[in-house]
Amino acid sequence: MRFSVPRSLSPSPVRRQQRRSKSTFGLLTDSEESDISESDEPDSDAFCYASESEVPQPPITPRAKIKTTAEQRHIEDTVTAIRLRTRHHDPYEEWEKQTRKDSFRVARKQQTARQLQIHDELDQARIQESRRRAALHARQMAEVEAQLNSLKLKQQKEEDTLRKGWQERDKLLWQRIDSVIQLEEDKVRARLEAERKVREQEERKRQEEEMQKRQAEEKQRKEEEDKRKAVEDAERRRIEEEKEKEEAEKRRIQEEERLNTEADQRKAAGLTIAVEDWRNARRILMTLKKETMRPIKSSKGSKSAWGEQRRKITPKIGQLTNDPKSIRDITDFIHDQVIMPPHRHHPMLYTGLLSSLAKTILLQAETEVTAEKKAAIPLAQVAFALLDRLEMFPDIFFAKLVERCGGWPLPCAVPPTDENGQPWADDAARIKAMGYRRSVQQDVAREPIVEYMGRVAGVMRLYFHILKIPPQTRPMHPMFQLPRCWMWLARILADHALLESVVGAQLIYTALDVLGSHALEVWGHQWVKMLELVYQGVTVGFAEGRFIGGTTAVGMSARTRVQMEVERIMAAAR
């Protein structure tokens, strides 16, 4: 059931709405109802029509008939509730008022900021206008100065034209005078020249006769001298060749006698000489190429399987970082999934994969370690772990190391014969065995010495870092034990040809940089004696006029690095 509440009569549909401070939800307050009931006259401030005819008729409001007392009481309760509601304090209106105040405050703040911005923009505009005027003034001044300069140049050009005219006039006058004088002088000079030519011709004939006579005598004397010198040079060369052959044969016999004398002692101690180590590594390398890689590459199935596994190694080695987890994960991946999977590879394929693994590690050392020394540390840890866990890998890795660096890992000079005792096929084969790459220039047989030295130093830095790592469970292969560092330095100090090489000096610096301080802790005073020999070779010289690294600019630079490294090791030990 719906109920209506009586409303006051509105004098007009367009009456101005009076703003109330409080919401009444569309109902009149008690005071308004009492005012309406007491007087039918509008207030003095109310709106009035001009005439009675303009007043509209009030709408007829139907009155609800109250039938029972319950309905009457319900209506009264409703009205009472509405009145109580109208007297209730409305937080929303308070919030609305506060919102208006805040909006006004924000608007005033924004207006102030805008005015400041406008003032700044006007200041900037005035500054730009002043700058523009200054630039315009400078440009106008430059134009005026340019105009003045052009007028000055024009005046100077006119003066130069007049001056040149006077100079030409004087020049023509003096030319006529000089021509007359020159004519007379030419006549006298022609007569004197004719007489001189006659005398010179007679003198020339006399000198030519004497010259021919002297040349004939000189030619005869020179022929006799050349014959005598040729005979003397041939005799001297023959004597020197014989002497060199005798000395070489004597040194060879002494070396063989010394090696034969020490052979039993070396055999008992388990030691070898550098040439024997090189031949053994070269023999393993040639066996690997002929009996493993050649059959694998000749068979399509074996080549496909080998290539598939090899392609898994290269990206892993390239992703290596100096992080223990990365080193462990890559090592386990190569060992468990590539080289030693649950389904074992054929022995030939296994050997081929070991060769590819060694080549990948060494190539990574040539590129990464050459650019950044610290890259050798994680690479050496992976190589050390694989050398310890994979069978046959130490021999193959060292053979590939000798292939990439020649005789420097031992160290020794590459002998004039191959491992089978046969002479090299050509110079290119021996250069390749020394570790050199082909040069990009067609007229050069091998790469420059600086590039070769950088590559070999990067690979040898990896090798020295492997020697530095202590074994965990069992002894490593003899070629990868720490005593090889002492043997390597002792051998290179005993060979003067290797010491004078720039590569030898650079590798000595690399060895001391990696193992110098560690070796001092291991061998103590004995290692100090070894460092004294090295320091003497770079400062005083190991022979008269002979120094470590030679006399070239590159060798002197490497020798300086060796000297500084020895001084650093000894300074840290104090």
Side-chain angles (χ1 to χ4, degrees):
M1 178 181 295
R2 301 179 61 187
F3 300 96
S4 63
V5 180
R7 300 176 59 187
S8 62
L9 297 178
S10 175
S12 171
V14 295
R15 185 179 62 179
R16 289 186 303 175
Q17 297 293 330
Q18 297 297 325
R19 184 174 180 182
R20 298 183 177 91
S21 60
K22 295 184 179 180
S23 174
T24 58
F25 296 90
L27 299 177
L28 300 177
T29 61
D30 295 340
S31 61
E32 290 174 346
E33 288 181 354
S34 63
D35 292 339
I36 292 172
S37 62
E38 291 175 359
S39 177
D40 295 332
E41 292 294 329
D43 296 336
S44 60
D45 295 336
F47 175 80
C48 298
Y49 289 94
S51 62
E52 292 294 336
S53 60
E54 295 180 1
V55 178
Q57 294 297 326
I60 299 174
T61 305
R63 298 285 184 173
K65 295 180 179 181
I66 302 174
K67 296 180 181 181
T68 63
T69 304
E71 291 178 356
Q72 177 68 28
R73 187 168 54 252
H74 180 70
I75 292 172
E76 291 176 355
D77 292 341
T78 303
V79 172
T80 302
I82 293 173
R83 287 176 178 170
L84 290 174
R85 183 63 177 175
T86 59
R87 296 190 184 97
H88 177 67
H89 173 70
D90 191 355
Y92 175 78
E93 290 184 357
E94 293 296 329
W95 172 82
E96 186 178 8
K97 290 179 182 179
Q98 187 64 31
T99 302
R100 289 194 188 96
K101 292 180 181 179
D102 295 342
S103 300
F104 177 75
R105 189 181 301 108
V106 172
R108 184 168 57 188
K109 185 177 181 181
Q110 291 179 350
Q111 183 184 10
T112 304
R114 179 58 181 169
Q115 288 178 351
L116 292 175
Q117 183 180 1
I118 292 172
H119 292 164
D120 292 340
E121 291 177 355
L122 291 175
D123 292 341
Q124 291 295 329
R126 285 194 294 272
I127 293 172
Q128 292 179 359
E129 180 63 21
S130 63
R131 290 179 180 174
R132 185 187 66 79
R133 290 180 180 178
L136 178 61
H137 177 70
R139 185 166 65 253
Q140 291 175 351
M141 288 294 295
E143 292 176 356
V144 172
E145 290 179 357
Q147 188 69 19
L148 292 175
N149 290 333
S150 63
L151 293 175
K152 188 182 294 183
L153 290 174
K154 184 177 180 181
Q155 181 182 1
Q156 187 177 0
K157 189 179 295 183
E158 292 175 356
E159 292 177 357
D160 292 342
T161 303
L162 293 175
R163 191 179 296 108
K164 287 181 180 179
W166 284 102
Q167 290 177 355
E168 291 291 335
R169 180 181 173 186
D170 292 343
K171 185 177 180 181
L172 291 174
L173 179 62
W174 282 105
Q175 282 180 353
R176 286 196 296 269
I177 296 173
D178 291 340
S179 62
V180 176
I181 297 173
Q182 186 69 27
L183 182 62
E184 295 297 329
E185 290 180 352
D186 289 343
K187 291 180 182 179
V188 176
R189 191 180 298 107
R191 180 173 57 80
L192 296 176
E193 184 69 18
E195 294 177 357
R196 185 183 63 78
K197 287 183 178 179
V198 172
R199 290 194 303 270
E200 287 181 354
Q201 188 174 5
E202 294 176 355
E203 183 68 20
R204 188 182 304 110
K205 289 181 180 179
R206 186 180 62 80
Q207 290 178 356
E208 287 179 355
E209 292 176 356
E210 292 179 357
M211 180 65 68
Q212 290 177 357
K213 184 177 180 181
R214 283 198 304 270
Q215 287 180 352
E217 294 176 354
E218 184 69 21
K219 183 178 180 181
Q220 183 178 2
R221 185 171 63 254
K222 186 175 181 180
E223 290 177 354
E224 294 176 354
E225 185 69 18
D226 291 342
K227 290 180 181 179
R228 185 180 60 80
K229 285 184 177 180
V231 173
E232 291 178 355
D233 291 342
E235 183 67 18
R236 185 174 62 256
R237 285 196 299 271
R238 185 182 63 79
I239 294 173
E240 290 178 354
E241 290 176 357
E242 290 179 355
K243 185 177 180 180
E244 289 178 357
K245 289 181 180 179
E246 290 177 357
E247 291 179 354
E249 184 67 19
K250 184 177 180 181
R251 287 195 301 270
R252 186 183 65 81
I253 293 173
Q254 291 177 353
E255 184 68 16
E256 289 181 355
E257 290 178 353
R258 184 180 65 82
L259 294 177
N260 292 333
T261 303
E262 298 175 355
D264 295 336
Q265 298 177 358
R266 291 197 308 273
K267 186 175 181 181
L271 302 176
T272 57
I273 59 176
V275 177
E276 292 178 356
D277 293 338
W278 179 87
R279 287 174 179 167
N280 185 39
R282 179 75 177 173
R283 191 177 301 111
I284 294 173
L285 179 64
M286 300 310 295
T287 303
L288 184 66
K289 289 186 175 182
K290 294 178 181 178
E291 299 182 4
T292 302
M293 301 309 301
R294 189 177 297 173
I296 288 176
K297 294 180 180 180
S298 61
S299 175
K300 186 175 182 180
S302 299
K303 184 177 180 180
S304 176
W306 169 72
E308 179 183 359
Q309 299 300 324
R310 179 174 59 90
R311 284 188 292 271
K312 296 179 182 179
I313 299 174
T314 304
K316 288 295 181 181
I317 296 298
Q319 297 169 4
L320 184 62
T321 59
N322 194 9
D323 177 62
K325 185 176 183 302
S326 174
I327 295 171
R328 184 172 57 255
D329 292 344
I330 291 176
T331 303
D332 293 341
F333 176 82
I334 294 174
H335 180 271
D336 299 337
Q337 300 186 30
V338 180
I339 307 298
M340 299 288 291
H343 179 69
R344 293 291 186 263
H345 296 303
H346 187 273
M348 184 179 295
L349 179 59
Y350 171 79
T351 306
L353 290 176
L354 292 181
S355 175
S356 300
L357 176 60
K359 182 178 180 181
T360 302
I361 294 175
L362 295 176
L363 286 176
Q364 186 72 11
E366 288 184 0
T367 55
E368 293 293 332
V369 179
T370 303
E372 179 57 43
K373 296 179 181 179
K374 295 181 180 179
I377 298 175
L379 193 61
Q381 293 178 359
V382 172
F384 180 86
L386 294 174
L387 288 168
D388 185 40
R389 297 168 64 179
L390 295 174
E391 186 180 358
M392 299 172 54
F393 188 52
D395 291 329
I396 294 176
F397 186 85
F398 193 79
K400 300 296 286 187
L401 181 64
V402 171
E403 180 186 18
R404 307 300 300 183
C405 301
W408 290 110
L410 298 165
C412 71
V414 175
T417 58
D418 203 349
E419 49 86 18
N420 54 6
Q422 298 296 326
W424 298 100
D426 51 14
D427 291 340
R430 189 168 185 268
I431 290 174
K432 184 178 180 181
M434 294 168 65
Y436 282 93
R437 288 180 177 175
R438 284 185 171 274
S439 176
V440 294
Q441 302 178 2
Q442 296 181 356
D443 55 343
V444 180
R446 56 187 179 183
E447 62 183 330
I449 188 63
V450 177
E451 296 181 7
Y452 174 75
M453 181 177 65
R455 287 194 309 102
V456 173
V459 176
M460 290 301 295
R461 182 175 290 274
L462 169 67
Y463 178 61
F464 291 138
H465 271 289
I466 294 175
L467 298 181
K468 188 177 181 180
I469 301 175
Q472 300 297 328
T473 57
R474 57 179 181 177
M476 292 291 291
H477 189 276
M479 292 298 178
F480 299 97
Q481 295 180 3
L482 183 59
R484 293 295 303 182
C485 171
W486 180 282
M487 185 180 297
W488 186 90
L489 196 58
R491 284 178 176 178
I492 198 171
L493 290 175
D495 194 326
H496 291 179
L498 297 180
L499 285 178
E500 285 188 291
S501 173
V502 295
V503 182
Q506 181 65 26
L507 294 185
I508 291 175
Y509 161 73
T510 304
L512 296 179
D513 185 28
V514 177
L515 290 166
S517 301
H518 182 69
L520 183 61
E521 296 177 359
V522 175
W523 289 302
H525 185 65
Q526 297 299 323
W527 183 252
V528 174
K529 292 181 179 179
M530 187 75 76
L531 294 180
E532 288 177 356
L533 292 176
V534 175
Y535 195 77
Q536 181 181 356
V538 297
T539 55
V540 181
F542 56 85
E544 185 176 355
R546 300 172 71 179
F547 292 87
I548 292 178
T551 57
T552 62
V554 180
M556 293 172 66
S557 177
R559 181 166 64 250
T560 303
R561 285 193 290 270
V562 173
Q563 180 180 352
M564 294 175 63
E565 188 62 26
V566 174
E567 292 173 354
R568 183 193 66 81
I569 295 171
M570 297 306 299
R574 292 191 181 96

